[in-house]
């Protein structure tokens, strides 16, 4: 529904009533309706409404291939998403003063279109509407059209998404919002098909009617927008108070979060919804943490089983790219089979951590292999030569080099005939003369007519195609063909290598080469954590390279602030926006966490020192001293109507959830009581939500648990180059301990760490050997020098 057609908003009755009182739409003149929320990234299903009326996208066309068409001003931008629209016949403006001044000067409403470069339905709307000359003329004559990359400007996106969600049945991208010249929203929705249908108005009709209403009823629309904005501003205020610090009850919150997850768990296929299913990594983090606190209980075993089973089903499913590695965005079905094929950096980073945690807990190398698979994909396909990480790969691509229409999943799917032709060799000893292709087809559930349920392919793009999914175990496959299990495992590895080589000949999906500080932080954590647990220094070196990249290209030394983004350049390796966009709360929070993870993997104190500097800057820019917690943006941009505080862990964790954890860790690294207090204040600010719907903030629940159980400081006194020191570190990293900080005391009393933690000077090596101390609440255990004694301390 549109902004004026208000849906049910749970627990916001006054909000709904107030909004209804300011709506200007009469029943006789019902002008607008919007398509159901489209889910390129929002965690909702692809709606049936859209399936009926939208053609599949060709999407992500090279902006420089629009022959004979002059570029618009977006051609001067860096964002891959904006560049995709640089040859639209639309007079697009980027977000900024030039567009705002034009709207005021010409007294025109603003049409704001928000999306991102790998958004499938953004491609659909571009092809249907923004490539349409008539639409371009309507927008030029009656509106000021602004295009925003939500990943580049999350502050803009969050404000208007709040409006769309509050006044409609959901949200998603592309987001379409109409604003007054002073940027106040009055109509909002997501995807619009071009033409009218039986149950909806098309984009063309909506534009014409809004333009007509603006011409004849502008004062009422402006008044409505002002009233709606006031309601929105009042609704986003949290309940914390500077004199009222009350922590939510940990036990109650933790158990409720577990119960809410258990009640939604899919026993057969794993996951915590029916369909679509998302690989929400924060859920696994909570469940592992819950297990660690309840190891000897039935509930603890249940938590571990839910997490491990889901991770295994995901890894075996089609959401996992068995040929090119890495994970797709989400599964459109309950089986984790048919995915939405885009690949996002933030998923890779968080899932690498989840699979490493699973390995650390279970000891099952299956999970370690999946983590390596993810890191291989990112190293190969999402890595910039300077050390940064690119943002995403698109879902859509050309099926062949000669094709003109892109299709979703074309790069990743196979026909059975294609596989048999590529894998024709007979397998020695296999029953009935089976070929490599025969065994591969059996193992991955490939069918001659394709294995995609038509319900997951409403536009017939996957007809006759197969999405690989592990259909039989290695043992059953070996038994069927009279082979040893290890033979089959090695055979399938060779098959995947050969298919990978063949797939490289296909046209690749669009690469979003934008590099974001926040997502680079998430990926850096993945490499650092994997390197520490697996003992693989190449992963730690890759994480270090990423940290150096962040400091060189996404850190502004003049004011100590992070930058939001940088870009793969044409004239030089890395390019920046001419007017810098400084980092938001998630950039600071995710990078700080990454630097703490990297310190604990490498023990280079420069990363810990930089984390401290960034935390101090974060406090300065984003902290709310009256209501507690951090705003997602600072107060420097007058075009941002109000500042928000995220209250949901979703595809990415809430920045406040991560910040609460960072503060607790840093308070133990630096002996900073003020940061421990700030961590508590964040928990207090979100107390009502944590008590009612803790499943919305599982990452924050983990911090509440850490605070309740007290963090352990594990100190290794030793030379990092010596074998005895490394053995103690390896012992610690082999144990899953979610509530700890790990420090290396190398004896340099002039170092940053010693200067900030004077008690380290009192801890010494015993008999010249590397020595471990476990400290808690300012009390340290007796020193131990052997791995066996350290294990006893860690497990008691």
């Amino acid at each position: 529904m549109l902004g004026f057609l208000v849906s049910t908003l749970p627990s916001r009755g006054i909000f709904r009533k107030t909004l209804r009182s300011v709506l200007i739409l009469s029943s006789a003149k019902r002008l607008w309706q919007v398509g159901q929320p489209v889910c390129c990234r929002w965690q909702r299903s692809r709606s049936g409404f859209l399936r009926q009326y939208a053609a599949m996208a060709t999407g992500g066309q090279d902006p420089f291939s629009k022959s004979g068409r002059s570029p618009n001003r977006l051609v001067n931008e860096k964002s891959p998403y904006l560049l995709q629209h640089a040859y639209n016949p639309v007079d697009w403006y980027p977000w900024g003063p030039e567009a705002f001044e034009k709207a005021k000067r010409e007294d025109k409403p603003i049409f704001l279109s928000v999306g991102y470069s790998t958004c499938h339905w953004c491609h659909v709307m571009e092809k249907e509407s923004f490539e349409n000359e008539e639409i371009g003329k309507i927008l030029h004559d009656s509106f000021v059209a602004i295009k925003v990359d939500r990943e580049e400007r999350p502050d803009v996106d969050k404000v208007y998404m709040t409006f769309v969600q509050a006044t409609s049945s959901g949200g998603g991208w592309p987001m379409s919002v109409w604003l007054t010249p002073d940027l106040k929203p009055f109509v909002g929705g997501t995807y619009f098909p071009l033409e009218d249908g039986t149950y909806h108005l098309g984009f063309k009709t909506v534009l014409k009617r809004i333009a007509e209403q603006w011409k004849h009823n502008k004062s009422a629309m402006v008044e409505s927008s002002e009233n709606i904005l006031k309601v929105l501003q009042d609704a986003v205020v949290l309940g914390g108070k500077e004199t009222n610090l009350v922590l939510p009850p940990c036990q109650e919150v933790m158990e409720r979060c577990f119960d809410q997850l258990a009640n939604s768990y899919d026993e057969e296929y794993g996951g915590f919804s029916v369909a679509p299913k998302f690989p929400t990594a924060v859920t696994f983090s909570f469940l592992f943490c819950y297990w660690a606190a309840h190891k000897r209980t039935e509930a603890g075993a249940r938590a571990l089983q839910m997490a491990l089973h889901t991770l295994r089903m995901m890894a075996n499913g089609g959401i996992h790219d068995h040929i090119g590695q890495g994970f797709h965005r989400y599964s459109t079905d309950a089986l984790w089979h048919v995915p939405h094929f885009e690949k996002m950096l933030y998923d890779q980073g968080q899932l690498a951590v989840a699979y490493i945690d699973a390995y650390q807990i279970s000891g099952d190398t299956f999970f370690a292999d999946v983590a390596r698979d993810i890191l291989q994909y990112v190293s190969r396909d999402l890595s910039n030569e300077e050390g940064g990480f690119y943002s995403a790969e698109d879902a859509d691509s050309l099926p062949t080099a000669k094709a003109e229409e892109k299709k979703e999943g074309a790069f990743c799917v196979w026909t059975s005939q294609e596989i048999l032709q590529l894998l024709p060799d007979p397998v020695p000893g296999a029953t009935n003369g089976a070929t490599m292709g025969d065994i591969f087809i059996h193992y991955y559930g490939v069918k001659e007519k394709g294995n995609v349920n038509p319900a997951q392919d409403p536009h017939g793009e996957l007809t006759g195609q197969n999405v690989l999914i592990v259909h039989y175990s290695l043992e059953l496959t070996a038994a069927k063909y009279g082979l040893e299990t290890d033979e089959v495992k090695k055979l399938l590895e060779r098959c995947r290598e050969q298919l990978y080589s063949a797939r490289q000949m296909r046209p690749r999906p669009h690469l979003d080469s934008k590099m974001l500080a926040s997502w680079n932080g998430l990926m850096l954590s993945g490499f650092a954590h994997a390197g520490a647990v697996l003992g693989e220094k190449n992963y730690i070196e890759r994480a270090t390279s990423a940290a150096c990249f962040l400091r060189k290209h996404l850190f502004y030394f003049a004011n100590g602030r992070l930058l939001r983004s940088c870009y793969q350049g044409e004239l030089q390796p890395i390019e920046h926006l001419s007017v810098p966009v400084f980092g938001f709360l998630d950039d600071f929070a995710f990078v700080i966490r990454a630097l703490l993870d990297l310190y604990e993997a490498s023990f280079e104190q420069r990363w810990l020192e930089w984390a401290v500097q960034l935390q101090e800057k974060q406090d300065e820019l984003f902290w709310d001293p009256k209501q507690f917690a951090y705003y997602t943006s600072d107060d420097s941009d007058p075009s941002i109507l109000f500042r928000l505080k995220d209250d949901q862990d979703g595809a990415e964790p809430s920045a406040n959830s991560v910040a609460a954890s960072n503060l607790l860790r840093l308070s133990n690294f630096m002996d900073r009581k003020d940061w421990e207090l700030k961590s508590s204040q964040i928990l207090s600010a979100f107390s009502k939500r944590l008590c009612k719907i803790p499943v919305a903030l599982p990452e924050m629940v983990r911090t509440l648990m850490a605070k309740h159980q007290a963090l352990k400081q594990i100190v290794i006194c030793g030379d990092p180059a010596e074998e005895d020191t490394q053995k103690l570190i390896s012992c610690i990293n082999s144990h899953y301990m979610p509530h700890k900080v790990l420090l290396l005391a190398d004896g340099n009393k002039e170092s940053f760490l010693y200067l900030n933690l004077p008690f380290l000077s009192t801890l010494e090596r015993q008999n010249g050997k590397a020595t471990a101390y476990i400290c808690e609440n300012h009390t340290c255990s007796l020193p131990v020098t052997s791995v066996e004694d350290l294990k006893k301390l860690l497990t008691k």
Side-chain angles (χ1 to χ4, degrees), residues 234-264:
D234 292 342
V236 298
V237 175
L238 290 174
K241 296 180 181 178
E242 58 183 325
T243 58
N244 183 24
L245 177 60
V246 179
L247 289 179
C250 180
Q251 191 68 26
E252 177 184 324
V253 168
M254 174 176 56
E255 297 301 336
R256 181 167 294 168
C257 188
F258 170 74
D259 289 342
Q260 288 173 345
L261 287 171
N263 290 337
S264 63

Side-chain angles (χ1 to χ4, degrees), residues 292-355:
H294 301 79
K295 290 181 181 178
R296 295 176 176 82
T297 69
E298 184 178 338
R302 172 73 167 156
L304 184 59
Q305 180 269 332
M306 289 193 296
L308 295 182
H309 180 60
T310 300
L311 287 168
R312 189 178 293 276
M313 295 302 292
M314 284 168 47
N316 287 335
I319 191 175
H320 180 204
D321 185 347
H322 295 278
I323 303 303
Q325 296 83 45
F327 279 81
H328 300 294
R329 177 71 277 266
Y330 64 84
S331 173
T332 63
D333 55 43
L335 286 69
W336 301 104
H337 181 204
V338 181
H340 177 47
F341 286 89
E342 68 180 318
K343 290 180 178 177
M344 308 302 298
L345 180 66
Y346 58 77
D347 282 326
Q348 316 309 320
Q350 294 178 92
L351 288 175
V353 172
Y355 278 98

Side-chain angles (χ1 to χ4, degrees), residues 167 291 319 553 714 733 736 788:
T167 57
W291 165 80
I319 191 175
H553 294 292
I714 302 179
N733 286 329
Y736 177 75
E788 292 73 20

Side-chain angles (χ1 to χ4, degrees), residues 572-737:
Q572 51 190 355
I574 303 296
E575 295 182 351
H576 294 84
L577 297 172
S578 56
V579 178
V581 175
F582 288 109
F584 302 99
L585 176 62
D586 61 339
D587 297 302
F588 278 82
F590 297 176
V591 170
I592 290 168
R593 178 164 75 175
L595 294 173
L596 297 180
D597 292 340
L598 181 54
Y599 166 75
E600 290 189 315
S602 68
F603 300 107
E604 291 187 57
Q605 293 186 33
R606 58 175 170 157
W607 305 125
L608 183 58
E609 187 171 2
W610 191 27
V612 169
Q613 293 169 359
L614 290 178
Q615 184 62 57
E616 289 171 342
K617 181 59 67 172
Q618 176 183 306
D619 294 346
E620 174 190 327
L621 294 170
F622 306 109
W623 182 252
D624 178 359
K626 294 183 178 179
Q627 299 287 335
F628 300 154
Y630 294 100
Y631 292 109
T632 57
S633 60
D634 66 21
D635 60 0
S636 63
D637 189 344
S639 72
I640 302 303
L641 298 179
F642 51 86
R643 300 166 78 191
L644 292 161
K645 297 173 184 174
D646 281 346
D647 63 354
Q648 178 129 357
D649 295 326
E652 304 163 51
S654 157
N656 267 298
S657 293
V658 176
S661 174
N662 290 344
L663 288 164
L664 196 57
R665 291 172 74 183
L666 280 166
S667 69
N668 281 268
F669 275 122
M670 294 288 105
D671 195 24
R672 290 280 297 267
K673 301 302 180 187
D674 57 326
W675 281 341
E676 184 178 0
L677 175 61
K678 270 188 167 63
S679 179
S680 297
Q681 289 172 330
I682 293 173
L683 298 173
S684 176
F686 289 93
S687 181
K688 184 178 294 186
R689 189 159 177 81
L690 285 168
C691 288
K692 289 185 176 180
I693 322 172
V695 73
L697 287 166
E699 187 71 12
M700 195 173 288
V701 177
R702 290 181 69 237
T703 302
L704 179 64
M705 293 169 68
K707 191 158 189 64
H708 179 73
Q709 296 168 15
L711 251 68
K712 288 182 169 63
Q713 290 173 311
I714 302 179
V715 183
I716 305 295
C717 294
D719 183 341
E722 295 294 331
E723 184 180 359
D724 59 349
T725 302
Q726 288 301 318
K727 284 183 176 180
L728 294 180
I729 292 170
S730 295
C731 175
I732 293 163
N733 286 329
S734 69
H735 288 74
Y736 177 75
M737 300 178 65

Side-chain angles (χ1 to χ4, degrees), residues 3 5-9 12 15-16 19 160-170 232:
L5 306 177
V6 182
S7 64
T8 302
L9 295 173
R12 290 191 179 182
F15 187 24
R16 293 198 306 275
L19 275 175
Y160 296 107
M161 185 58 74
T162 298
F163 166 74
V164 170
Q165 287 181 281
T167 57
S168 73
S169 58
L232 287 172

